[in-house]
């Protein structure tokens, strides 16, 4: 074995191996390999935001640890990577950057500008994923904005349409007036805000007044009823009466509704179209009229009379002033309330009615629940998040968006009879905004004129087919061999979107779960334990971390940070600890390379107690690490290997066998060989166990020390050590621990007396306390003597005074220097 250099430039070797792995094709998925089982990872296609933060790094580190582990276990691992390109954030950024609105340009022009941002950001993110050392097969890369992916998204639309899962309808939907598009429930974030509640006097026909409290006086012109709880004694007498709506010349009925909270405000409320989801329910069940008072751009409509054209806020102020002047505003009070906002621009959402495309998702809820219970969750309790979310949905999924940069909906309408023309499978990919349907005439009425659907698809409609696309659908005939995905990794924040949409879409498309297990990672918190955010000053970008500590050290932080599913803070000291561990490992390996220079792999020699002790501990660690990785408990895996390496190997074993390695003339060649064999075996095993977590340093050491003997072109294609509990030698471990404890205590004594560790001890008398302990210590006598530089050593079974050995109070010793 060649001597390792004294120091290792981790940053340099990491980038070297990233290049070489790519050239060697180590991570290629073999599509036609029938000999190995397949393991598929449903890698999330990240949104190209241009920012690969420590949270992304944590997720990708998890997927990669799993991919590398499975590869070593003999699986043909499909670890693909895509980018989820479309969407509002890019459109908003483009609009802001060029100071334009989407409507100022043609769709092509606008898309071109969006694509420039996406190009730039994908490059940044791809570089970061590679820099993290992810073992992705880059020949699988796809981008949802490309026509080839459009084809798949559109095909899924066509199939679902034919199966009756899609419909067009006028239903209330969440609407962002700034982005001017429908958004799904999953895209509405609810944030507490300080608002005001206004007490407004309404007049009854008999001249009496009642006071109604509302946070949204601007919706007065959309008030279609006034409601009280059926059991509310205070208002029973008013039910069925008409009441005048202030600032309008309309009267509405007072009705009862179970959804009214008698404790809120005055217990009597306006039903408006639409203030909230309760309004939607009430309007629907009572068949009340709909008066739209706010338009798609967030301005008051002509239905609001003199307030028409004002923004919502302007109208609110004007109406409050008018109410005050008419003496109808009793009082205004501060109120803490939940406001639904657009997830992207944080504008308060409105509920509007506009023709949209929907997918019938609610009828799949029982199936979603059943499937969620059948698959495996890491951790198990996370499945409740998916089930609770599915159950909580009041509305079907609105899949159309009034945006530009997205997959077009493959639909046209006959201009004469209104018939819906669905694209044929052979026509796609197609953009109806630019191309007519490939038909001579309308199949219903014969007209030759068509109007394209200009709405586009929600981006989740693109990304909710990843499992099948990764598997090769629809182009590879055998795609079902790789479907469902073995693992779907998800953040706690996207269970209700990505995990959910994948589930409903694939149940609808193929009547099958898209994934067999779901691995949930927590969120990364900032250095101060709060949510990591640029504005909080606790934000850490990946280039800063990679530039200082490379990838292996932060990967250790990710693995050690916690169990899957729990949030973990980013802490620099944890990364530094990983870095120091790598140096420790390097130094141990360098020491090994020094004492193994004449070593060639051989049959197991006659082993000494401490050799058997270390090998057994390694076997135990292998069992523990394997079980942990099987359950995605990465923290258990990394802690086990780090402890074993740092303490048992470096601090204890190496120190205890140096005399054998250095002085074969005194202790015999056979005993040197035994230590060499143990060291050679132990370091290789540690490299194997660490390889999924710290792929770079383990590869560097493998190539320098073992590649020639082991014939594996990379440690990452080497087999995983089969854990074998039969090899565990409990007695050797117990005996070895005692011998190690005695050595440790003698070294501690020297340190306390300020003596160098190699100070010669004239005599050492150990009172082992029992015949058994004496027998054990006699087996390790030479290693104790050699390590502690003892001229004469005696072990007696007696109990006597002397310095007590920690954890073995019956074992005491007396030294004479
Ligand atoms: Zn918005
Ligand atoms: Zn027609």
């Amino acid at each position: 074995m060649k001597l390792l250099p004294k120091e290792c430039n981790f940053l340099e070797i990491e980038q070297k191996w990233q290049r070489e792995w790519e050239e060697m094709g180590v991570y290629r998925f073999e599509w036609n390999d029938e000999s190995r089982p397949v393991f598929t990872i449903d890698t999330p296609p990240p949104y190209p935001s241009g920012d690969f933060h420590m949270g992304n790094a944590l997720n990708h580190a998890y997927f990669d640890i799993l991919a590398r582990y499975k590869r070593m276990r003999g699986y043909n691992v499909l670890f693909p990577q895509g980018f989820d390109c479309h969407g509002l954030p890019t459109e908003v950024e483009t609009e802001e950057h060029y100071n334009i609105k989407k409507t100022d340009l043609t769709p092509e022009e606008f898309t071109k500008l969006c694509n420039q941002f996406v190009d730039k950001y994908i490059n940044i993110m791809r570089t970061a994923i590679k820099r993290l050392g992810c073992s992705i097969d880059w020949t699988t890369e796809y981008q949802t904005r490309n026509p080839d992916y459009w084809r798949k998204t559109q095909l899924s639309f066509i199939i679902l349409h034919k199966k009756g899962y899609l419909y067009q309808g006028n239903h209330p939907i969440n609407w962002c007036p700034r982005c001017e598009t429908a958004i799904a429930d999953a895209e509405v974030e609810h944030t507490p805000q300080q608002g005001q509640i206004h007490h407004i006097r309404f007049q009854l026909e008999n001249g009496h007044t009642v006071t109604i409290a509302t946070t949204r006086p601007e919706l007065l012109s959309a008030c279609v009823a006034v409601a009280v709880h059926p059991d509310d004694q205070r208002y029973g007498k008013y039910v069925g009466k008409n009441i005048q709506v202030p600032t309008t010349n309309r009267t509405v009925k007072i009705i009862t509704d179970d959804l009214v909270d008698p404790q809120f405000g005055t217990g009597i409320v306006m039903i408006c179209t639409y203030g909230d989801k309760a309004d939607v329910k009430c309007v629907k069940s009572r068949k009340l009229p709909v008066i739209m008072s706010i338009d798609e751009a967030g301005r008051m409509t002509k239905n609001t009379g003199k307030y028409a054209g004002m923004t919502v806020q302007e109208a609110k102020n004007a109406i409050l002033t008018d109410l005050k002047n008419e003496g109808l505003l009793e009082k205004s009070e501060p109120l803490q309330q939940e406001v639904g906002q657009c997830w992207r621009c944080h504008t308060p959402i409105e509920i509007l009615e506009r023709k949209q495309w929907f997918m019938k998702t609610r009828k799949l809820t029982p199936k979603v629940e059943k499937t969620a219970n059948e698959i495996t969750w890491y951790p198990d309790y996370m499945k409740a998040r998916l089930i609770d979310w599915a159950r909580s949905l009041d509305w079907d999924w609105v899949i159309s968006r009034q945006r530009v940069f997205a997959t077009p909906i493959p639909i046209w309408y006959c201009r004469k009879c209104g018939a819906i023309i669905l694209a044929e499978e052979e026509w796609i990919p197609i953009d109806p905004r630019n191309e007519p349907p490939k038909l001579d005439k309308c199949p219903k009425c014969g007209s030759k004129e068509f109007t394209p659907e200009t709405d586009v698809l929600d981006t989740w409609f693109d990304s909710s087919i990843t499992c099948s696309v990764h598997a090769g659908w629809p182009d590879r005939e055998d795609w079902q061999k790789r479907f469902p995905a073995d693992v779907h990794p998800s953040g706690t924040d996207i269970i209700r979107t990505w995990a959910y949409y994948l589930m409903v879409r694939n149940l609808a498309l193929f009547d099958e779960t898209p994934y067999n297990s779901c691995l949930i990672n927590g969120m990364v918190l900032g250095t101060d334990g709060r949510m990591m955010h640029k504005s909080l000053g606790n934000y850490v970008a990946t280039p800063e971390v990679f530039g200082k500590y490379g990838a292996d050290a932060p990967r250790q932080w990710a693995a050690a940070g916690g169990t899957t599913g729990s949030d973990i803070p980013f802490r620099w000291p944890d990364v530094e600890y990983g870095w120091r561990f790598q140096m420790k490992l390097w130094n141990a390996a360098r020491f090994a390379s020094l004492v193994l220079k004449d070593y060639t792999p051989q049959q197991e020699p006659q082993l000494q107690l401490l050799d058997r002790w270390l090998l057994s501990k390694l076997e135990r660690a292998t069992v523990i690490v394997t079980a942990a990785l099987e359950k995605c408990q990465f923290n258990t895996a990394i802690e086990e290997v780090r402890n074993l390496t740092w303490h048992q190997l470096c601090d204890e074993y190496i120190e205890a066998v140096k005399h054998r390695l250095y002085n074969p003339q005194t202790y015999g060649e056979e005993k040197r060989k035994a230590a060499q064999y143990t060291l050679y075996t132990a370091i290789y095993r540690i490299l194997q166990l660490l390889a999924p977590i710290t792929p770079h340093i383990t590869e560097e050491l493998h190539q320098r020390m073992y590649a020639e003997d082991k014939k594996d072109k990379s440690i990452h294609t080497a087999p995983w050590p089969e854990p074998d509990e039969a090899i565990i030698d409990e007695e050797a471990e117990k005996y070895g621990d005692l011998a190690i404890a005695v050595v440790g205590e003698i070294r501690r004594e020297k340190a306390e007396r300020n003596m160098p560790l190699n100070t010669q001890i004239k005599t050492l008398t150990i009172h082992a306390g029992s015949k058994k302990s004496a027998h054990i210590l006699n087996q390790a006598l030479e290693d104790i003597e050699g390590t502690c530089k003892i001229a004469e050593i005696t072990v007696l079974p007696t109990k006597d005074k002397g310095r007590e050995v920690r954890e073995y109070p019956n074992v005491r010793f007396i030294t004479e220097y």
Side-chain angles (χ1 to χ4, degrees):
M1 190 177 287
K2 281 195 206 96
L3 184 63
L4 290 185
K6 224 177 179 146
E7 274 170 23
C8 174
N9 183 332
F10 296 136
L11 301 187
E12 238 167 56
I13 62 149
E14 288 190 356
Q15 292 188 332
K16 173 187 76 182
W17 284 116
Q18 285 159 16
R19 279 192 308 274
E20 295 208 9
W21 288 330
E22 194 56 33
E23 279 162 24
M24 288 153 76
V26 175
Y27 306 126
R28 291 275 183 283
F29 177 71
E30 301 295 339
W31 290 92
N32 299 318
D33 184 350
E34 301 276 341
S35 64
R36 289 177 295 166
V38 168
F39 187 82
T40 55
I41 297 174
D42 182 34
T43 326
Y47 184 77
S49 61
D51 174 28
F52 194 81
H53 51 77
M54 287 315 292
N56 300 122
L58 177 89
N59 302 351
H60 265 75
Y62 281 2
F63 321 151
D64 189 54
I65 293 169
L66 191 59
R68 289 179 182 278
Y69 167 67
K70 290 289 180 180
R71 216 175 272 117
M72 291 176 81
R73 290 229 75 172
Y75 287 88
N76 184 17
V77 173
L78 176 56
F79 187 13
Q81 185 67 61
F83 292 95
D84 186 15
C85 310
H86 293 132
L88 263 184
T90 303
E91 289 198 35
V92 172
E93 184 167 4
T94 305
E95 286 176 330
E96 282 169 0
H97 183 84
Y98 293 101
N99 195 21
I100 50 167
K101 290 285 270 178
K102 63 180 178 180
T103 40
D104 297 344
L105 302 175
T106 65
E108 290 99 318
E109 288 167 339
F110 188 73
T111 300
K112 206 170 148 196
L113 295 182
C114 291
N115 271 322
Q116 289 172 3
F117 279 106
V118 173
D119 284 339
K120 186 170 118 197
Y121 292 155
I122 284 183
N123 267 328
I124 294 172
M125 300 184 86
R126 195 191 287 119
T127 306
I129 294 170
K130 287 185 178 174
R131 188 62 193 87
L132 182 64
C134 290
S135 59
I136 280 160
D137 177 356
W138 286 100
T139 62
T140 62
E141 185 187 328
Y142 62 90
Q143 300 179 8
T144 58
R145 63 177 168 166
N146 289 342
D148 188 57
Y149 199 93
W150 276 17
R151 177 172 60 87
K152 296 166 186 172
T153 305
Q154 290 183 331
L155 177 60
S156 72
F157 182 95
I158 293 169
I159 296 173
L160 290 183
H161 194 284
K162 288 183 176 163
K163 285 184 138 187
Y165 276 102
L166 304 182
Y167 65 96
Q168 206 182 14
N170 261 315
H171 293 277
I173 36 111
N174 305 302
W175 184 272
C176 173
R178 202 229 64 95
C179 301
E180 291 190 39
T181 182
I183 58 177
D185 277 345
E187 294 164 322
V188 177
E189 42 177 50
H190 297 273
T191 36
Q193 269 185 12
Q194 188 61 43
Q196 276 203 312
I197 186 158
H198 310 280
H199 291 245
I200 300 169
R201 288 198 190 96
F202 281 53
Q203 201 157 36
L204 287 146
E205 278 171 326
N206 64 6
H208 287 166
T209 61
V210 289
T211 302
I212 297 183
T214 177
T215 57
R216 302 207 59 188
E218 69 275 20
L219 289 178
L220 274 170
S221 48
C223 174
V224 291
V226 161
V228 297
H229 193 273
D231 301 336
D232 195 335
Q233 304 287 331
R234 294 172 291 174
Y235 300 114
K237 56 182 183 253
Y238 298 137
V239 174
K241 301 271 187 319
N242 285 327
I243 193 166
Q244 168 75 34
V245 182
T247 76
T248 74
N249 47 20
R250 289 184 299 111
T251 58
V252 297
K253 271 225 155 45
I254 300 178
I255 59 171
T256 58
D257 192 87
D258 287 339
L259 292 174
V260 176
D261 174 8
Q263 309 299 324
F264 178 80
T266 57
I268 178 163
V269 299
M270 297 200 291
I271 303 295
C272 303
T273 52
Y274 295 97
D276 56 22
K277 282 189 166 182
D279 288 344
V280 175
K281 274 189 189 147
C282 182
V283 168
K284 210 170 171 191
S285 64
R286 300 307 178 88
K287 299 201 168 55
L288 294 168
V290 174
I291 303 172
M292 294 316 300
S293 59
I294 297 171
D295 73 8
E296 293 168 5
R299 292 197 176 261
M300 306 311 286
T301 65
K302 60 181 192 316
N303 295 333
T304 64
K306 64 185 260 206
Y307 308 108
M310 292 183 184
T311 64
V312 170
Q313 192 56 46
E314 286 164 355
K316 183 180 259 176
N317 295 340
I319 288 171
L320 285 172
T321 306
D322 289 348
L323 289 170
K324 209 180 270 169
N325 290 341
E326 288 174 48
L328 297 175
L329 183 64
E330 204 173 280
K331 57 177 176 178
S332 299
E333 291 175 328
L335 178 78
Q336 187 75 17
Q337 57 177 351
E338 285 245 308
V339 176
Q341 296 180 331
C342 169
W343 67 285
R344 172 58 207 171
C345 72
H346 311 297
T347 303
I349 54 139
E350 297 294 344
I351 297 176
L352 300 189
E353 267 191 16
R354 188 188 184 283
K355 209 169 204 191
Q356 300 286 349
W357 281 96
F358 295 87
M359 176 175 166
K360 290 181 189 167
T361 42
R362 280 176 311 162
K363 72 170 189 182
L364 286 162
T365 298
K367 246 187 184 174
V368 168
E369 191 171 340
K370 184 171 171 277
T371 314
N373 279 313
E374 282 163 3
I375 63 169
T376 309
W377 292 77
Y378 306 103
D380 186 59
Y381 66 85
M382 279 291 171
K383 73 174 160 210
R385 294 241 183 146
L386 182 77
I387 294 171
D388 291 348
W389 173 253
R391 282 191 193 156
S392 77
L393 290 170
D394 308 308
W395 298 348
D396 278 335
W397 177 16
V398 53
I399 58 169
S400 49
R401 294 289 181 277
Q402 291 64 51
R403 297 300 309 185
V404 178
F405 187 50
T407 307
I409 297 179
I411 289 277
W412 299 259
Y413 305 96
C414 170
R415 224 173 262 182
K416 202 169 154 202
C417 75
I420 290 175
I421 313 290
L422 175 68
E424 296 290 332
E425 290 184 17
E426 304 79 60
W427 304 355
I428 52 172
I430 194 162
D431 187 347
R433 294 171 298 181
N434 303 330
E435 272 186 82
K438 299 181 195 307
L439 282 178
D440 298 338
K441 53 186 197 295
C442 169
K444 271 197 183 148
C445 75
S447 162
K448 291 188 172 166
E449 290 190 67
F450 304 96
T451 313
E453 174 58 88
T454 52
D455 284 359
V456 289
L457 288 165
D458 179 5
T459 48
W460 291 108
F461 208 79
D462 297 341
S463 56
S464 53
I465 50 171
T466 50
C467 292
S468 28
V469 168
H470 294 158
W473 177 84
D475 303 318
R476 289 181 190 270
E477 259 176 36
D478 63 347
W479 68 275
Q480 274 173 314
K481 279 189 185 165
R482 295 168 288 272
F483 183 87
D486 290 288
V487 64
H488 165 76
S490 186
T492 46
D493 56 334
I494 53 171
I495 294 176
R496 65 182 196 169
T497 47
W498 197 37
Y500 172 74
Y501 288 142
L502 265 167
M503 184 68 93
V504 283
R505 286 259 276 148
N506 285 274
L507 286 174
L509 281 166
F510 309 117
D511 200 19
E512 195 168 354
T513 177
Y515 41 84
N516 283 326
S517 72
C518 203
L519 167 65
I520 305 294
N521 58 268
M523 299 286 102
V524 170
L525 307 176
T527 42
D528 56 358
R530 290 189 291 171
M531 266 333 255
M532 192 180 267
H533 204 273
K534 275 182 178 152
S535 64
L536 294 177
N538 61 1
Y539 184 87
V540 181
T542 43
E544 191 187 346
V545 181
F546 294 158
K548 219 167 160 187
Y549 291 111
D552 280 353
R555 287 173 66 107
Q556 289 181 63
W557 155 77
T563 48
T564 53
S566 50
D567 292 348
I568 75 169
F570 178 78
R571 288 177 12 106
W572 284 105
D574 293 347
V575 180
E576 279 150 23
Y577 180 79
W579 182 262
R580 286 203 310 278
F581 171 72
Q582 284 161 223
M583 294 206 281
K584 189 86 183 169
L585 176 64
W586 185 268
N587 290 337
R590 181 168 192 274
F591 170 80
S593 75
L594 189 75
V595 297
L596 292 172
K597 59 177 184 282
D598 64 338
Y599 180 79
T600 44
Q602 53 187 267
Q603 289 290 311
E604 186 176 300
Q606 179 69 42
L607 297 174
Q608 300 297 300
L609 171 62
L610 287 183
D611 305 329
R612 285 184 282 121
W613 167 80
L614 184 69
L615 293 176
S616 180
K617 295 246 174 206
L618 270 171
E619 204 55 41
R620 186 181 294 280
T622 305
V623 173
I624 293 170
V625 171
T626 306
L629 289 178
E630 282 295 327
K631 285 181 260 170
C632 299
Q633 290 165 349
F634 307 125
N635 54 341
T636 308
I638 183 70
E639 293 309 353
E640 183 66 26
V641 195
R642 287 205 294 208
N643 282 334
L644 181 92
T645 309
W646 206 299
H647 303 299
Q648 273 86 54
L649 176 72
C650 296
D651 293 350
E652 295 165 357
Y653 181 78
I654 288 181
E655 293 307 321
V657 297
K658 274 182 177 164
H659 64 283
R660 278 200 254 155
L661 291 162
Y662 290 155
N663 311 304
Q665 65 285 9
T666 311
Y667 296 98
E669 188 55 31
E670 182 68 10
K671 287 176 184 166
R672 180 171 85 108
K673 284 242 163 66
Q676 280 183 318
Y677 171 88
T678 307
L679 206 49
Y680 181 89
T681 311
I683 289 183
Y684 185 65
R685 177 63 60 88
I686 286 167
L687 295 184
Q688 285 176 300
L689 297 181
L690 274 176
I693 298 169
T694 55
H696 307 89
I697 185 176
T698 50
E699 180 77 313
E700 179 74 11
L701 291 172
H702 167 80
Q703 299 286 351
R704 285 181 179 273
M705 299 170 75
Y706 295 98
E708 227 170 275
D709 303 342
K710 303 284 182 184
K711 311 282 180 232
D712 294 305
K713 67 173 175 176
S714 161
I715 184 122
H716 302 295
T717 53
W720 184 257
E722 267 321 308
D724 187 352
E725 291 195 43
I727 298 178
I728 293 177
D729 182 345
E730 298 220 10
E731 210 176 58
E733 285 188 45
K734 233 165 69 189
Y735 290 8
D737 283 344
L738 173 56
I740 289 291
V742 170
V743 170
E745 200 58 44
I746 295 169
R747 290 164 72 101
R748 211 170 288 126
E749 184 185 82
K750 284 182 178 175
E752 282 165 14
R753 296 185 183 194
N754 288 322
M755 292 173 164
L757 282 178
N758 60 2
T759 307
Q760 181 86 21
I761 298 175
K762 247 191 254 160
T763 61
L764 172 77
T765 313
I766 303 178
H767 296 281
S770 71
K771 262 190 189 162
K772 189 168 183 200
S773 295
H775 169 72
I776 293 166
L777 288 169
N778 269 316
Q779 286 185 51
L781 216 52
E782 255 183 27
D783 284 343
I784 296 173
E785 183 191 296
T787 311
C788 302
K789 307 275 180 271
I790 301 159
E792 203 187 316
I793 181 167
T794 321
V795 180
L796 301 166
T798 46
K799 290 184 182 169
D800 206 329
K801 291 205 183 80
R803 188 180 168 108
E804 186 179 296
V805 177
R806 279 188 204 185
E807 288 172 38
Y808 298 91
N810 289 330
V811 182
R812 290 163 181 261
F813 63 82
I814 296 163
T815 44
E816 199 184 308
Y817 290 88

